[in-house]
Amino acid sequence: MTTAVQPPLPSLPLLRLRLAPARSMPRPIDGAWWPRSYDLLAELPQLLAGLPRAWGHITSVTVHGAAWTAVPGRVLVFNQVVQLRRSLTPSAPHTIVLLTPGRGRWDLLVVPPDTTEEAAGHLMAAAADGQT
């Protein structure tokens, strides 16, 4: 009997996400996400897959700023429809807002993809510690 060797599956890059500890009081920023690009359709599935299960199914995502490419009205992610919106309000230009009906809203600082690793680390730590 011969055994066929399966080639290894391609590994996904690690999700660059840092969340603030859970608290009973709301906070302005719930953590930070450092995507590899501004291609929302490529980046969003990995982000949603890496979120805590307690957050539930994210049904709505709002990105702030004009830097994001391709923000259609909705997209299918893991066989679930997610509404996508773009906001150009100046109040939070570098954030992404995630909504789950009946569970809550989470705002994440978006660290620009071209940020150096050292600077991104500092920004993500500050966001997770509530210093943004």
Side-chain angles (χ1 to χ4, degrees), residues 18-21 23 27 29 31 122-132:
R18 183 145 181 206
L19 299 177
R23 290 188 180 172
R27 53 189 307 136
I29 293 291
H122 291 298
L123 288 168
M124 293 176 79
D129 292 339
Q131 300 174 10
T132 56

Side-chain angles (χ1 to χ4, degrees), residues 18-84:
R18 183 145 181 206
L19 299 177
R23 290 188 180 172
S24 59
M25 297 295 295
R27 53 189 307 136
I29 293 291
D30 299 293
W33 174 46
W34 183 23
R36 288 176 169 71
S37 73
Y38 280 114
D39 182 349
L40 189 60
L41 298 180
E43 300 289 341
L44 190 60
Q46 186 180 15
L47 172 63
L48 296 183
L51 295 175
R53 287 196 184 278
W55 287 18
H57 169 66
I58 303 297
T59 59
S60 177
V61 173
T62 302
V63 292
H64 292 269
W68 293 97
T69 60
V71 180
R74 58 189 166 166
V75 65
L76 193 64
V77 179
F78 304 117
N79 293 322
Q80 305 244 350
V81 175
V82 178
Q83 296 289 334
L84 299 179

Side-chain angles (χ1 to χ4, degrees), residues 45 51 64 86 109 116:
L51 295 175
H64 292 269
R86 181 192 314 264
L109 172 73
T116 66

Side-chain angles (χ1 to χ4, degrees), residues 1-18:
M1 177 167 123
T2 61
T3 306
V5 176
Q6 295 286 334
L9 294 174
S11 62
L12 293 174
L14 292 176
L15 176 61
R16 301 183 299 187
L17 176 69
R18 183 145 181 206

